[in-house]
């Protein structure tokens, strides 16, 4: 590095450090009446073990100061691990969020809290470490060790996130009395009530010293490529694994202490490189400074918003609100040609057999009979006609599941054909998350329940997300990579908002969580009939305009040449997709993977033309949802698992197998 470059780097270090100190001092001023002089006078007495006389001094010494210290520690570690992962994989989109390790740690801590509570005090960090490590191993198995620098590993992390998140949600709902303390953790909270967390975390973060001692030289050699590094005497695999394990330990310890805080580890290294960090050592240290600075700014924003509102705003929610748009921005800048994703569907029949459609209809009738007539008691199964009470409970759930499955399957089919993307579905692209965002957001803003918001609010959210996706995707010709990463960002933001809603500790948190799992439990006769009529009307409109979809599927230029006014036709079909998602989400909650799974199965069964695929996918989606709802009601009787959770597990496994197939072919 030249003398001028070194001076520029030192200058940027100096400016960033001054900005960090200034921000830290400003952060201490939030919510206190003490002057800086009074604060500095309290610190020596605190070190000597003396207790402050006034409440303001006690608040500063045991709430504000430890919060600042742990914020600096966590922010620095997130920045360090983010830079380490990105340099090891040569992938600027890599982070604990996109790698899926956060969801693994979350699931592990849920399991320990519920089934092994006696281990929480001593082994929570180790449990999170094991969960994060196993998750990373699964992601590497899915993506392949050679795809660390490309998009497949990010997509694999997303698929694992959805799968493990569904499992964790199911466990919490089945053991709600033991899981209340997990909500604030899930929201990412930096609030401190003493120095215990700092004292617990500090020795566990000493691993960072080892990482900083070893990583710069290893990363510098890895920039020459694996062969070049090996030629210079580096044993690549052991050092790679050592650094990865060190990074996972730091992340596991951090999120055990304060919960999941997304995006800092993704953004800090990218900003460091943008500001001129060239060597591995510079990027590591600069990312630590920037990570600490960004988390302090985020936490200060959370504190300020908490003072303006009646609710405590978790820092993780504020980080997601800032990080989601930033992830989209970096995606647009960093997406390369080699990141385009090729998905190959499993083999399919040439055409649909004449028995396929009647068989699917018969299967719906059989599953409906199973739902209505076969029940489980404490001792055995019982087949009988439903009583008046059980009939009033069962048929709305059955009709809701049928309508939701058919509606989401049709919306996924339309999306995949409109934007020529086999991975397009309302959940993966974040359209269902848009409806969820508006419903949860309106309930937080106006104090209403999710169920009072209505279809209009949900439709607005779905259309907003669709507009964002189309606007951002146009640059990359609606490439699967761009659309899916946009969906990741939006979904992460929605999850943070939902965790904020749950962390408030109100009486209806489990109702919200059950709704978020995609449950028919609250289905009412009026709601079920309304959903069925609404979905039927929208599907009828789509069938009536199927010629438009056929022409657009062949290419917009081809459609124009055949006399179709493409723009309004495109907009109407997209509005139908958004309306289907809004109606289903309002009634049942967000349901993942039906919009991906049903169209693919329809194609595999030989449904090639638009009308045939729409009809087949609708029947398949209805069957999947009815079966999942029945299974969820009986598999852990007398408890229940939401149909959406079971579908997420099934669809997540299918998505993972699809990614593995695409890698192997």
């Amino acid at each position: 590095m030249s003398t001028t470059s070194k001076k520029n780097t030192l200058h940027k270090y100096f400016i960033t450090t001054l900005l960090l100190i200034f921000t830290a001092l400003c952060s201490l001023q939030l919510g206190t009446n003490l002057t800086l002089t009074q604060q500095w006078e309290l610190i020596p007495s605190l070190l000597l073990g003396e207790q402050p006389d006034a409440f303001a001094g006690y608040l500063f010494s045991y709430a504000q100061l430890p919060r600042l210290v742990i914020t600096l520690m966590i922010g620095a570690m997130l920045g360090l691990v983010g830079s380490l992962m990105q340099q090891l994989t040569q992938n600027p989109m890599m982070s604990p969020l996109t790698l899926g390790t956060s969801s693994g740690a979350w699931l592990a801590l849920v399991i320990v809290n519920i089934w092994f509570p006696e281990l929480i005090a001593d082994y929570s960090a180790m449990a999170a470490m094991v969960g994060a490590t196993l998750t990373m191993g699964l992601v590497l198995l899915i993506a392949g060790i050679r795809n660390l620098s490309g998009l497949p590993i990010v997509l694999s992390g997303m698929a694992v996130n959805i799968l493990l998140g569904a499992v964790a949600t199911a466990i919490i709902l089945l053991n709600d009395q033991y899981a209340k303390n997990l909500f604030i953790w899930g929201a990412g909270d930096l609030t401190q009530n003493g120095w215990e967390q700092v004292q617990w975390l500090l020795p566990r973060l000493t691993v960072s010293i080892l990482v900083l001692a070893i990583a710069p030289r290893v990363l510098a050699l890895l920039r020459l490529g694996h062969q070049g590094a090996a030629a210079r005497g580096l044993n690549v695999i052991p050092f790679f694994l050592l650094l990865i394990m060190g990074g996972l330990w730091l992340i596991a310890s951090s999120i055990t202490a304060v919960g999941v805080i997304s995006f800092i580890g993704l953004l800090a290294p990218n900003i460091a490189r943008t500001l001129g960090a060239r060597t591995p050592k510079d990027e590591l240290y600069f990312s630590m400074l920037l990570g600490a600075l960004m988390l302090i700014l985020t936490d200060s924003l959370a504190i300020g918003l908490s003072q303006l509102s009646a609710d405590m705003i978790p820092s993780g929610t504020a980080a997601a609100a800032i990080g989601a748009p930033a992830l989209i921005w970096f995606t647009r800048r960093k997406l390369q040609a080699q990141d385009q994703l090729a998905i190959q569907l499993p083999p399919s029949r040439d055409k649909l057999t004449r028995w396929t459609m009647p068989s699917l209809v018969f299967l719906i009738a059989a599953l409906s009979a199973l739902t209505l007539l076969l029940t489980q008691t404490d001792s055995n199964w019982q087949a009988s006609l439903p009583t008046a009470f059980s009939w009033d409970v069962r048929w709305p759930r059955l009709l809701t599941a049928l309508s939701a499955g058919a509606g989401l399957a049709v919306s996924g089919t339309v999306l995949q054909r409109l934007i020529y993307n086999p991975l397009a579905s309302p959940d993966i692209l974040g359209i269902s998350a848009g409806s969820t965002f508006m419903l949860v957001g309106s309930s937080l803003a106006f104090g209403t329940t999710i169920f009072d918001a209505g279809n209009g609010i949900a439709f607005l959210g779905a259309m907003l997300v669709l507009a964002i996706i189309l606007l951002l995707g146009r640059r990359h010709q609606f490439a699967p990579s761009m659309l899916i990463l946009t969906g990741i960002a939006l979904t992460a933001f929605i999850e943070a908002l939902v965790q904020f809603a749950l962390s408030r500790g109100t009486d209806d948190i489990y109702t919200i969580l059950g709704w978020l799992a995609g449950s028919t439990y609250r289905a009412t006769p009026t709601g079920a009939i309304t959903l069925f009529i609404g979905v039927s009307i929208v599907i009828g409109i789509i069938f009536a305009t199927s010629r438009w979809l056929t022409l657009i599927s062949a290419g917009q230029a081809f459609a124009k040449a055949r006399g179709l006014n493409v723009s309004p036709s495109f907009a109407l079909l997209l509005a139908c997709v958004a309306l289907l998602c809004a109606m289903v989400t309002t009634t049942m909650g967000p349901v993942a993977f039906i919009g991906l799974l049903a169209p693919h199965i329809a194609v595999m069964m030989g449904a090639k033309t638009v009308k045939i695929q729409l009809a087949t996918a609708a029947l398949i989606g209805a069957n999947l949802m009815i079966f999942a709802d029945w299974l969820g009601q009986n598999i852990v009787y007398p408890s229940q698992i939401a149909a959406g959770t079971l579908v997420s597990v099934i669809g997540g496994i299918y998505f993972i197998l699809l990614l593995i197939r695409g890698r192997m072919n």
Side-chain angles (χ1 to χ4, degrees), residues 137-491:
L138 177 60
V139 171
L140 289 175
L141 179 65
I142 296 167
I145 196 69
R146 296 183 179 180
N147 290 319
L148 291 177
S149 60
L151 183 69
I153 192 156
V154 179
L155 294 178
S156 302
M158 185 204 77
V160 171
N161 258 322
I162 296 174
L163 179 61
L164 298 187
V167 174
T169 298
I171 293 174
I172 290 175
L173 286 172
L174 291 172
N175 302 272
D176 54 5
Q177 67 273 28
Y178 304 110
K180 291 183 179 180
N181 61 319
L182 296 175
F183 293 129
I184 294 178
W185 183 93
D189 183 34
L190 293 168
T191 302
Q192 300 297 305
N193 296 314
W195 290 91
E196 291 79 8
Q197 285 282 49
V198 175
Q199 293 170 351
W200 180 89
L201 184 61
L202 187 60
R204 288 165 175 80
L205 297 188
T206 54
V207 173
S208 61
I209 299 173
L210 177 64
V211 171
L212 289 170
I214 297 175
R217 180 177 180 273
V218 174
L219 295 174
L221 291 175
L222 284 176
R223 290 189 176 186
L224 303 174
H226 285 194
Q227 292 182 348
R232 284 161 176 78
L234 179 68
N235 199 344
V236 175
I237 299 300
F239 277 101
F240 181 90
L241 293 176
L242 176 65
L243 291 176
I244 282 290
M245 295 303 292
L248 290 179
W249 172 255
L250 294 174
I251 284 296
S253 301
S254 298
I255 63 180
T256 301
V258 301
V260 177
I261 297 179
S262 305
F263 295 108
I264 300 294
L266 174 67
L267 299 180
N270 280 285
I271 295 174
R273 287 189 292 272
T274 302
L275 292 177
R278 295 291 177 262
T279 67
K281 183 177 180 180
D282 283 340
E283 184 180 325
L284 289 172
Y285 282 94
F286 211 1
S287 296
M288 290 178 67
L289 280 173
L290 288 169
L293 175 61
M294 291 171 64
L295 192 54
I296 286 181
L297 289 171
T298 300
D299 192 45
S300 299
L301 175 63
I303 294 172
L305 291 175
S306 298
Q307 293 175 355
L308 293 175
S309 65
D311 293 309
M312 183 271 294
I313 309 294
S315 301
T317 303
I322 297 171
L327 174 59
I328 295 173
W329 183 73
F330 275 117
T331 299
R332 288 170 62 80
R333 291 187 64 240
K334 300 296 182 180
L335 193 64
Q336 305 296 327
Q338 64 267 25
D339 290 329
Q340 303 303 326
L341 186 69
I343 287 292
Q344 182 178 356
L345 296 181
S348 61
R349 296 175 178 268
D350 293 332
K351 65 178 183 177
L352 210 65
T353 66
R354 63 177 180 174
W355 297 107
T356 301
M357 300 285 275
S359 299
L360 290 172
V361 173
F362 174 78
L363 187 57
I364 288 178
L367 289 173
S368 300
L370 187 70
T371 299
L372 296 173
L373 303 178
L374 186 64
T375 59
Q376 187 176 2
T377 63
D378 293 333
S379 57
N380 55 16
W381 291 88
Q382 181 178 351
S384 62
L385 292 174
T387 63
F389 174 77
S390 61
W391 169 258
D392 290 340
V393 171
R394 292 179 200 171
W395 77 258
R397 298 189 67 169
L398 172 64
L399 189 60
T400 298
L402 185 150
S403 305
L408 292 174
V410 169
S411 66
T413 304
V414 174
L415 265 182
Q416 290 175 18
R417 285 186 170 270
L418 280 180
I419 59 179
Y420 320 111
N421 185 339
L423 290 182
S425 74
D427 50 289
I428 293 179
L429 300 190
I431 299 170
S432 296
S435 295
T436 306
F437 167 70
M438 293 301 290
L439 290 168
V440 176
S442 63
S443 69
L444 294 177
F446 305 113
T448 61
T449 67
I450 288 177
F451 309 102
D452 295 333
N455 291 326
I457 294 293
F459 176 70
L460 180 62
M463 285 301 295
L464 180 63
V465 170
L466 265 175
I468 293 172
I469 288 174
L470 294 175
L471 179 65
L472 298 177
R474 191 179 300 275
R475 173 183 172 185
H476 297 284
Q477 288 75 50
F478 305 111
S481 48
M482 181 64 223
L483 295 177
I484 290 166
L485 285 172
T486 303
I488 291 173
L490 294 170
T491 303

